[in-house]
Amino acid sequence: MKVFVTGGAGYIGSHTLVQLLAAGHEVCVFDNFANSSPVALDRVRQLTNRGIGLVEADIRDADALRDAVTTFAPDAVMHFAGLKAVGESSSLPLLYYQTNVSGTMNLLAAMDAAGCKRIVFSSSATVYGEAHYLPFDEDHPIAPTNPYGRTKAMAEGIIGDWAKATAGASAVLLRYFNPVGAHESGRIGEDPRDIPNNLMPFVAQVAVGRRDRLSIFGDDYDTRDGTGERDYINVVDLAAAHLAAIEYASRAAGCEAINVGTGRGITVKELVAAYERACGRTLPVEIASRRPGDVASSYAATVKARDLLGWNAVLDIDAMCASSWLWQSTNPDGYGDRQ
Ligand code: NAD
Ligand code: UD1
């Protein structure tokens, strides 16, 4: 299959490229490197011994996107490109709506121009907002609590409307829980530009000595050990879900939202303990106050992914921490070209 991959140089995109290329698909990446490095694509080429088409441009540029999609003439599109920092989305909301919402509309218009009818979209469990019940299933009300989450909910709705209006179209909206970990080679991984907001990259930087200590945001939640509980999903399992999703989109028309998680919550303290096993030392932590907007627990119902995609997560928290540590310890400055 020919797969057009927006945001393919990013964290999740690069891991998915490895599996697409290994499975024999032909890929074209469309990325402006706003939050990624061309070195990631070089590493994917080395890992797979395969070529990667690249168009360096912005998804807000509708003409560039249409030209790229019509020239490549893909069988399917994977849409990773977007901005994802929750805090930044509150200070720069228009940038987030332009990139995540208008960018998605530009992409659908480009697909129409090229006659491409299959799309797999990177959505987020953040669209659910506060948990009315757990685990989150796909029928849980959608009520995002920040601009980033609203861009994802809007893009989901637009893709759904497009799929309804386009004969034979097929869209899969993958709602990721908390992607972590790295390729088992340690050659590609997550390379945050600024101080990481998310737990796992922060812990990784503490382990490698780039940060003094981890602040645990609250130990008085109603969970096993009082710390926040999340559904961490290995990025390698997540990449496999994308391959299952384009296969599904090839045989089923319509639009489906599907959770991608393990179905199991891990607390902050449990994640730190697993990371200590991976890196072989005790990590300095302190208990700090709760982070505003945080919930106690979040984890996925995974039945729909199993039933529709035939996919389930196989890698556990120790594998996630081991691969993260291999990547972080062998690439302490990430791809090394953005500091
Ligand atoms: P990332 O920032 O590593 O990757 C996004 C890629 O999109 C980068 O390569 C970036 O350069 C590119 N990009 C950004 N703006 C662009 C633009 N205007 N034009 C062209 N390219 C642009 O992020 P990621 O973690 O790989 O996330 C991929 C997708 O998954 C995003 O849409 C994100 O919202 C979604 N998602 C991520 C998480 C997570 O925790 N990582 C969770 C849920 C959903
Ligand atoms: C965050 C985003 C969410 C996004 C998700 C993607 C916020 C408010 N939410 O959620 O929209 O979909 O990432 O992966 O940013 N923690 C610490 N110390 C830290 C960092 C985090 O104790 O330095 C704790 C948090 O309180 C939480 C857990 O670790 O209990 C996980 O945090 P994080 O990795 O930021 O993920 P989410 O809170 O799920």
Side-chain angles (χ1 to χ4, degrees):
M1 219 184 277
K2 291 174 77 175
V3 187
F4 188 83
V5 186
T6 74
Y11 172 47
I12 301 166
S14 58
H15 287 80
T16 306
L17 287 180
V18 171
Q19 295 188 24
L20 283 169
L21 291 166
H25 298 294
E26 187 185 341
V27 301
C28 176
V29 168
F30 187 99
D31 202 305
N32 68 353
F33 301 113
N35 193 39
S36 58
S37 163
V39 177
L41 296 179
D42 292 338
R43 301 265 178 106
V44 173
R45 290 185 185 101
Q46 289 161 11
L47 282 171
T48 59
N49 209 13
R50 293 277 314 275
I52 300 172
L54 172 65
V55 177
E56 184 174 345
D58 193 313
I59 53 168
R60 289 170 296 172
D61 181 343
D63 292 341
L65 198 45
R66 193 192 51 244
D67 288 351
V69 177
T70 51
T71 302
F72 185 62
D75 301 298
V77 168
M78 288 192 182
H79 183 29
F80 297 98
L83 300 175
K84 62 170 183 177
V86 171
E88 186 183 60
S89 78
S90 291
S91 50
L92 298 172
L94 297 186
L95 176 66
Y96 273 67
Y97 287 107
Q98 278 156 357
T99 306
N100 294 2
V101 180
S102 301
T104 298
M105 290 167 64
N106 291 340
L107 180 61
L108 295 170
M111 290 170 65
D112 280 346
C116 177
K117 295 184 178 197
R118 271 175 243 158
I119 183 167
V120 177
F121 174 62
S122 299
S123 189
S124 169
T126 201
V127 298
Y128 295 124
E130 293 279 327
H132 295 231
Y133 56 83
L134 286 172
F136 281 112
D137 61 28
E138 290 82 354
D139 296 324
H140 187 282
I142 301 296
T145 56
N146 54 66
Y148 167 67
R150 282 189 279 277
T151 67
K152 288 291 173 188
M154 283 181 193
E156 282 198 0
I158 291 165
I159 294 168
D161 287 340
W162 168 86
K164 262 189 221 140
T166 308
S170 180
V172 182
L173 314 169
L174 293 180
R175 293 181 180 154
Y176 312 160
F177 278 69
N178 292 58
V180 298
H183 188 259
E184 57 275 11
S185 66
R187 296 287 292 157
I188 55 173
E190 186 170 14
D191 182 17
R193 248 186 327 182
D194 307 311
I195 300 174
N197 295 311
N198 294 119
L199 178 62
M200 180 79 115
F202 201 101
V203 170
Q205 292 193 1
V206 173
V208 84
R210 266 172 78 178
R211 314 257 163 228
D212 289 344
R213 71 180 67 79
L214 171 76
S215 297
I216 296 181
F217 297 146
D219 67 348
D220 55 355
Y221 284 107
D222 182 17
T223 60
R224 285 186 288 288
D225 59 23
T227 64
E229 185 186 30
R230 296 292 184 274
D231 189 340
Y232 298 96
I233 170 81
N234 193 308
V235 67
V236 172
D237 277 336
L238 178 53
H242 286 78
L243 271 77
I246 47 164
E247 292 303 329
Y248 172 79
S250 305
R251 53 177 195 271
C255 180
E256 293 289 350
I258 304 178
N259 287 337
V260 188
T262 65
R264 181 157 179 257
I266 300 281
T267 68
V268 177
K269 284 186 177 171
E270 288 167 349
L271 185 142
V272 171
Y275 217 98
E276 289 178 339
R277 288 194 290 277
C279 71
R281 66 187 190 91
T282 304
L283 299 177
V285 301
E286 64 180 8
I287 304 299
S289 48
R290 290 182 178 195
R291 183 172 64 179
D294 270 359
V295 294
S297 296
S298 167
Y299 48 93
T302 56
V303 179
K304 193 170 177 185
R306 189 196 62 206
D307 289 353
L308 292 194
L309 305 182
W311 171 91
N312 59 273
V314 293
L315 296 161
D316 66 9
I317 192 66
D318 284 306
M320 301 184 212
C321 293
S323 59
S324 164
W325 175 239
L326 181 61
W327 153 254
Q328 190 69 62
S329 56
T330 52
N331 301 270
D333 298 317
Y335 291 112
D337 58 348
R338 295 193 292 143
Q339 299 307 311

